[in-house]
Amino acid sequence: MTKVTKVYLISEQIDKDGNKIDFKKISELLWNLQRQTRDIKNKCVQLCWEWLNFSSDYYKKSEEYPKEKDTLGYTLSGFVYDRIKNGSDLYSSNLSTSSRDTCTAFSNYKKEMLNGERSVLSFKANQPLDIHNKAIKLSYENGNFFVALKMLNRAGKEKYGINDDLRFRMQVRDKSVRTILERLMNDEYKVSASKLMYDKKKKLWKLNLCYSFDNHVISTLDPEKIMGVDLGVVYPIMASVNGDYARFSIKGGEIEAFRNRVEARRRSLLNQSRYCGDGRIGHGRKKRTEPAAQIADKIARFRDTTNHKYSRALIDYAIKNGCGTIQMEKLTGITSNAEHFLKEWSYFDLQTKIESKAKEAGIKVVYINPKFTSQRCNKCGYIHTDNRPVQARFCCQKCGYEENADYNASQNIGTKHIDVIIEETLKMQCEPEVPTE
Ligand SMILES: [Zn+2]
């Protein structure tokens, strides 16, 4: 199934020296490409028309139509492309899309054009620009979606003094567009050939982004089917449907590893700048520690992208299992321990993303009190601190149930009214040795 979504674009083009290129200059470039596209499409029509005339003359003489391959050497659209491929500034894949589509349109309307029911195809200057699916690259940085479009061939790049693809920030105003873009970046959806056009009223360029996906049957969500989500230490996410042995887990360490890598680099940069005249010395502390801020930025972007990926995968698991409810513990993102701040904040960010994606999918989010959920046996309900001999394992001291500790916790977290159940259990366990948290 192929669908289309419309997104307005803001130019973020930077020249060779890192200076921003004026939006007007980019617009002029694109208008120029539109005119070139118009000329090329009209040339395609002319070539198709010539072939049609040749073909009907041939028919009159020999009472059969000529075969494209025998006469032209290859198919008509290949023949046409060969004649228009040089001389423009257009990126070759986009150019071939324009040419092929024009040939297809010509052959679809051929009969009507010949019968005079339709005027001969002709194209105006405000042609939408065709963009091949491989010429579109999406990215997400600092809370914004960007798209890089390959629009120019080598000659074009030289002519306009632009090295890279054309880069735009996407104006994402509603959640449904955001969801589509996220799914495209997760490869759940695939980008198809799209079109770029100018909106005269808004004075902005608009991308008609086409995408496709498999039509999978979306199961109806059952609000009584609960998934417990444990945001833990061993696994960043461990989730399971209440009563299911199957589990969803993310091993993680990705963000930590990334941070360690870039921080090692920062330390080495700081050492260098302390001892060497690398240009930053003598410009004050701010200048000297400049890389640190950039690194923090880098880590934040990496975390953002990673957490989007994790939360999307989790919500997909919930949908696949028909869970209408997700239960998890409420994190605040606030901690007095400075050392743990970044890590805690990362979980808080992850939780925020899980919640918003769950809501978009129509899944209810219930926050529970996590107290004792890691010490409670999800099989017999026994609560004891000794049930956790080591951090990673759960071993029930009463019924002997043994499991991965995070999985056991996720089963408890996904139990309906778990707060009340735990409270009752603690009252009933005679002489409760008050478990420590
Ligand atoms: Zn037990």
Side-chain angles (χ1 to χ4, degrees), residues 376-382 387 394-401:
R376 176 183 185 267
C377 170
N378 86 76
K379 291 291 170 205
C380 71
Y382 181 61
N387 287 350
F394 183 90
C395 305
C396 181
Q397 299 304 303
K398 195 174 171 190
C399 74
Y401 173 74

Side-chain angles (χ1 to χ4, degrees), residues 5 7 140 142-145 170-186 189 304 308 312 353 356-357 360:
T5 185
V7 197
Y140 185 79
N142 285 339
N144 284 308
F145 287 95
M170 304 174 95
Q171 277 195 336
V172 181
R173 290 249 165 86
D174 67 278
K175 273 192 173 174
S176 65
V177 176
R178 201 183 170 84
T179 305
I180 291 164
L181 294 176
E182 280 169 11
R183 290 187 178 179
L184 282 167
M185 291 188 62
N186 289 341
Y189 292 173
D304 194 53
H308 266 300
R312 168 57 53 206
K353 288 182 166 68
S356 78
K357 287 187 175 67
E360 274 170 40

Side-chain angles (χ1 to χ4, degrees), residues 221-231 237-242 248 310-330 350-351 353-368 410 412-416 418:
L221 301 175
D222 177 3
E224 291 301 310
K225 211 171 174 190
I226 304 170
M227 190 169 79
V229 178
D230 184 38
L231 301 176
I237 303 180
M238 172 67 86
S240 58
V241 182
N242 191 246
F248 170 93
Y310 289 174
S311 53
R312 168 57 53 206
L314 175 74
I315 295 305
D316 284 347
Y317 183 79
I319 293 171
K320 214 166 74 187
N321 285 282
C323 294
T325 305
I326 281 178
Q327 293 194 169
M328 55 185 165
E329 81 174 90
K330 183 86 184 158
L350 176 61
Q351 181 167 69
K353 288 182 166 68
I354 292 172
E355 184 182 317
S356 78
K357 287 187 175 67
K359 284 181 175 163
E360 274 170 40
I363 297 170
K364 195 171 125 190
V365 176
V366 176
Y367 286 107
I368 58 115
S410 75
N412 286 326
I413 291 169
T415 302
K416 200 173 184 181
I418 185 64

Side-chain angles (χ1 to χ4, degrees), residues 257-276:
F258 184 79
R259 176 180 305 132
N260 290 341
R261 241 182 5 253
V262 291
E263 282 192 340
R265 170 101 182 114
R266 172 175 73 168
R267 274 192 296 276
S268 95
L269 276 175
L270 280 177
N271 282 337
Q272 274 174 31
S273 63
R274 207 165 290 150
Y275 302 115
C276 315

Side-chain angles (χ1 to χ4, degrees), residues 29 63 65 67 70 198 236 263 314 338 359 368 404 411:
L29 181 165
E63 292 196 339
Y65 286 106
K67 290 192 174 69
D70 294 344
Y198 187 66
E263 282 192 340
L314 175 74
K359 284 181 175 163
I368 58 115
N404 173 297
Q411 282 290 304

